[in-house]
Amino acid sequence: MIRASAAAVAFHAIAAAFVFAQTSIAISPQVVEKLVRQDEQVSDIISFTNAGKEPVQVSLELADFFVDENGKARELPPGTDASSLAPFLRITPATMRVTPQQHVNFRYPAKPAAPFTQRRVMLYFLVHPVISSSSPGPAVVVVPRLGVP
């Protein structure tokens, strides 16, 4: 239950995966929901693990979203929705190379401007394989954005 003096701040961490058998990633937690009082800051970490056999380049992307009358999530550019958390959220690092079996943390502080009742944003992890320049022949890399808010 949300009190009048408090508000909910939520964002979802969604993994973008690609079609290589050597790739295996984990993100924790997959959903973040925090209760934040007016004029307070919240901060935490999101953990990313490359459990695969190849190094990857991880970059982050934000998107606003809402659920339409049919129950489908609709995406908007970050910072365009009235309830967007994007303008108040800073995640570091924004890009990182992650070696096989490496575990890294992405840190975020968020201090939503008052007054608000709810702020939300979708956080996408885009995972690109690191392709060696010494690899023989041409390569096709598919990096879809997957997830459900």
Side-chain angles (χ1 to χ4, degrees), residues 33-118:
E33 294 186 35
K34 302 277 184 178
L35 183 65
V36 180
R37 301 198 186 289
Q38 302 291 335
D39 298 319
E40 285 185 354
Q41 177 173 305
V42 62
S43 60
D44 209 343
I45 62 169
I46 297 175
S47 298
F48 178 95
T49 302
N50 178 3
K53 298 177 182 176
E54 301 294 330
V56 295
Q57 185 74 23
V58 180
S59 58
L60 305 177
E61 184 177 287
L62 297 176
D64 289 350
F65 69 97
F66 66 96
V67 178
D68 68 15
E69 62 278 354
N70 297 319
K72 293 187 178 184
R74 301 292 181 192
E75 205 170 285
L76 299 168
T80 58
D81 187 69
S83 64
S84 179
L85 182 61
F88 312 104
L89 182 66
R90 300 291 171 254
I91 304 170
T92 57
T95 302
M96 177 181 272
R97 181 182 167 116
V98 185
T99 60
Q101 306 306 309
Q102 185 180 7
H103 173 85
V104 297
N105 291 323
F106 290 86
R107 290 171 173 38
Y108 67 88
K111 186 174 182 180
F116 67 94
T117 55
Q118 182 184 58

Side-chain angles (χ1 to χ4, degrees), residues 119-136:
R119 297 284 184 187
R120 62 180 178 262
V121 72
M122 185 75 71
L123 170 62
Y124 288 101
F125 285 80
L126 304 173
V127 183
H128 302 267
V130 176
I131 299 177
S132 169
S133 59
S134 63
S135 297

